[in-house]
Amino acid sequence: MKSLYKIVALAAVSTLATSCFNKEKPNYQLFPNMYESVAYETYSESSAFKNGKEGQVPAQGSVPRGFTPEEYPNTPAGLAAARLNSKSPLDSITSGDLDKAKQLYTIYCAICHGDAGDGKGNLVKREKFLGVPSYAERELTEGGIYHVVTYGLNAMGSHKNQLTQTERWMVAAYVLKLKSEL
Amino acid sequence: MSSHYEAPIRKPLVIGDKSYHDITVDVARPVETRANKQWWTVFTIALIAFLWGAGCMVYTIGTGIGTWGLNKTVGWAWDITNFVWWVGIGHAGTLISAVLLLFRQKWRMAINRSAEAMTIFSVVQAGLFPIIHMGRPWLAYWVLPMPNQFGSLWVNFNSPLLWDVFAISTYLSVSLVFWWTGLLPDFAMLRDRAVTPFSKRIYSTLSFGWSGRAKDWQRFEEVSLVLAGLATPLVLSVHTIVSFDFATSVIPGWHTTILPPYFVAGAIFSGFAMVNTLLIIMRKVVSLEDYITIQHIELMNIIVMITGSVVGIAYITELWVAWYSGVEYEQYAFLNRATGPYWWSYWLMMTCNVISPQVMWFKKIRTSILGSFIISIIVNIGMWFERFVIIVTSLHRDYLPSSWTMFQPTFVDAGIYIGTIGFFFVLFLLYSRTFPVIAQAEVKTILKSSGENYKKKRENENHSHNH
């Protein structure tokens, strides 16, 4: 009997000790000495900035090391010029690069354009929205694709946040390959 | 009576015409009477010192170790000095109760209870320092090898600081059990004499229902002997481990193989001095002069003298080895001790620890209460400086001259030390009014062999036989 009391008491204590945890809230912390960063962490909020965000926009016209500003502006004229004149800086697209390009295409493009580039991506098939053309219907150049991926066109948004310049050129090469297979 | 042989050269350990009942009454008197004004005065002073020290500890933990006088070169100073000092003091209690038991020293019986109390109270003081000198003491539980959620992250068993944790905690628990086992018959005596229901209740709880049957006594003796056998290697290893904190380092002045036995000798030295300090006062205050006789004090003085000489030899050995080693860092460490900016602490230590115990060669001094009392205090001052000298003078000047610095304690350093002294006396004063300060059950076993009246009786009988 005595041991039963002990078991019940122990169970009660452990229930009591663990019952204060609320799943909707972060749990209690024991001496959170270095849990919160003293330095600014990426994407953190801070009242030190006007918009409250740690991520501040760099000064207009500044160029970071290892980056070349886009040659063609985000205008219909720029697109037309890019279609004609813009060339891939990549010397050659090897099969390894194509694998990488395929992965990038599958991640960022295939959801609308379809794995084969036929305009029948999952979102189109499920009729979330329509009007995605097949690559076969369009006249494409490498520079044009790069320009569209960089700035977007009509319903398509810019993808320069997702893909680096090199990656965009790789995707452009892969799109041309898909087009040739359609 | 005449069948018992004891060398007539042995002096009586219990003075006066004592019977078993007299012993009981004498031992129970401080517990059964009310404390006088002096007791309350001393207790209040000790309590204030303790509270002041507690405040300093709270301030340290709340504000940071930077409130102490430590710096980047001298990361250990008063904290570890006091730690080692208190641990050292604690060692005499175990020495008296365990080692002297193994050597069948009957004179230990009147002093072992208080010596063990001193052990426990001073180990408690010592135990504070490893916690409060931590930068983040609230994470102190990480020193324990417990399964946890950090992928069961464990401690590194290579650090003597971890061995300290095991040594001190084991030492405290074994000492406590040893002390308490010995207390059972005495608590039972107080229980049986208690007149108020409250004290009856208290002492029956504390005495664990001791009824003093033959079987109980037989087992009691066996347990005492086994615990004494365990406590003896423990007492040697605990201070050895404490000395490893320094001896296993690479610091010139610390890295010496002599440290373990030399620290243990120093511990016995300072511990016995402290026992002397306390008992000289206690025997007077609670009128136990018949049990803690001048012979007891003399014998403790002899141990102080012997261990003091061992410590003296260790000092000379260190100096010899430093010169003999040809290591300029080692040589400089000792040159710095003797002639550096802390020369005064080194020479204070040398005077207190090497010269003062040598006066015990004079019977006049070692049998003088005042002389013993003064020397016992001097020894404890000297032993505090021994630890201070070892720690600070080795740290403040070592390999890189660009890291040479000085150490200056702050009031917080001093406040915590004073606080532990206060806490020690709070505990000891409370102990001396609530616990049987003499192991009456043990003293009763030597009454008929070493009591003054019985010895006289035997002497007279022998004389009549011879005629």
Side-chain angles (χ1 to χ4, degrees), chain A residues 30-31 33-34, chain B residues 136 138-139 141:
Chain A
L30 182 70
F31 302 117
N33 289 254
M34 292 173 79
Chain B
R136 289 186 286 166
W138 48 89
L139 299 180
Y141 66 95

Side-chain angles (χ1 to χ4, degrees), chain B residues 93-401:
Chain B
T94 320
L95 251 297
I96 287 167
S97 56
V99 177
L100 297 186
L101 174 67
L102 294 184
F103 286 111
R104 301 286 176 204
Q105 295 297 305
K106 287 180 176 176
W107 61 275
R108 60 171 265 284
M109 291 183 177
I111 54 171
N112 65 351
R113 176 66 42 73
S114 295
E116 283 171 58
M118 188 195 74
T119 293
I120 285 154
F121 302 149
S122 55
V123 173
V124 166
Q125 307 315 319
L128 288 169
F129 287 100
I131 306 283
I132 59 167
H133 92 303
M134 287 182 172
R136 289 186 286 166
W138 48 89
L139 299 180
Y141 66 95
W142 285 6
V143 304
L144 304 173
M146 292 186 296
N148 55 56
Q149 289 179 312
F150 302 104
S152 228
L153 181 66
W154 268 31
V155 287
N156 185 341
F157 288 95
N158 291 330
S159 166
L161 298 183
L162 183 68
W163 310 340
D164 272 347
V165 173
F166 299 135
I168 301 297
S169 54
T170 310
Y171 185 50
L172 181 62
S173 25
V174 170
S175 301
L176 199 61
V177 169
F178 195 15
W179 187 50
W180 208 271
T181 326
L183 275 161
L184 292 180
D186 291 10
F187 278 145
M189 176 272 280
L190 289 175
R191 171 198 65 197
D192 297 341
R193 286 174 56 88
V195 279
T196 64
F198 178 71
S199 57
K200 186 110 193 155
R201 183 75 204 258
I202 295 287
Y203 287 111
S204 33
T205 312
L206 295 180
S207 62
F208 296 174
W210 176 266
S211 55
R213 287 170 300 186
K215 198 70 198 167
D216 296 349
W217 277 115
Q218 186 236 325
R219 287 175 175 154
F220 176 90
E221 291 295 332
E222 271 177 36
V223 163
S224 303
L225 198 59
V226 168
L227 280 178
L230 285 174
T232 304
L234 191 63
V235 77
L236 299 179
S237 65
V238 166
H239 219 66
T240 294
I241 287 170
V242 170
S243 81
F244 283 169
D245 293 349
F246 312 101
T248 61
S249 74
V250 295
I251 303 290
W254 281 11
H255 184 76
T256 44
T257 51
I258 199 176
L259 244 53
Y262 150 43
F263 263 50
V264 172
I268 302 166
F269 180 51
S270 68
F272 269 81
M274 190 62 146
V275 173
N276 240 349
T277 314
L278 295 173
L279 289 187
I280 284 172
I281 299 170
M282 178 187 257
R283 69 196 283 276
K284 184 82 191 158
V285 171
V286 293
S287 330
L288 292 171
E289 288 105 325
D290 290 342
Y291 303 95
I292 302 164
T293 65
I294 196 72
Q295 197 197 341
H296 288 86
I297 292 167
E298 187 187 354
L299 287 164
M300 284 194 281
N301 281 335
I302 289 172
I303 293 185
V304 164
M305 182 181 80
I306 293 169
T307 48
S309 306
V310 173
V311 169
I313 289 169
Y315 291 159
I316 298 163
T317 310
E318 273 193 328
L319 287 172
W320 155 260
V321 170
W323 170 76
Y324 189 63
S325 68
V327 181
E328 55 186 345
Y329 296 107
E330 188 79 8
Q331 288 168 350
Y332 181 73
F334 284 90
L335 185 72
N336 179 45
R337 278 182 196 181
T339 61
Y342 290 108
W343 63 271
W344 50 273
S345 61
Y346 179 76
W347 291 109
L348 193 60
M349 157 191 118
M350 276 297 196
T351 317
C352 294
N353 293 350
V354 181
I355 297 166
S356 75
Q358 300 309 321
V359 302
M360 295 300 184
W361 288 100
F362 302 104
K363 192 171 174 81
K364 204 160 195 177
I365 295 175
R366 72 169 182 265
T367 52
S368 132
I369 304 256
L370 184 67
S372 321
F373 187 72
I374 292 169
I375 296 290
S376 73
I377 302 237
I378 288 176
V379 165
N380 269 313
I381 294 171
M383 285 308 291
W384 190 89
F385 275 100
E386 185 201 290
R387 280 67 182 251
F388 178 81
V389 165
I390 291 174
I391 294 170
V392 172
T393 64
S394 307
L395 284 177
H396 88 120
R397 287 187 176 178
D398 60 359
Y399 294 113
L400 276 182

Side-chain angles (χ1 to χ4, degrees), chain B residues 52-75:
Chain B
W52 168 249
C56 287
M57 289 178 206
V58 170
Y59 175 55
T60 301
I61 295 169
T63 311
I65 290 294
T67 58
W68 293 1
L70 301 177
N71 52 52
K72 281 191 276 182
T73 301
V74 184

Side-chain angles (χ1 to χ4, degrees), chain B residues 460-467:
Chain B
N460 294 338
E461 278 174 22
N462 285 349
H463 276 295
S464 54
H465 279 300
N466 292 343
H467 282 291

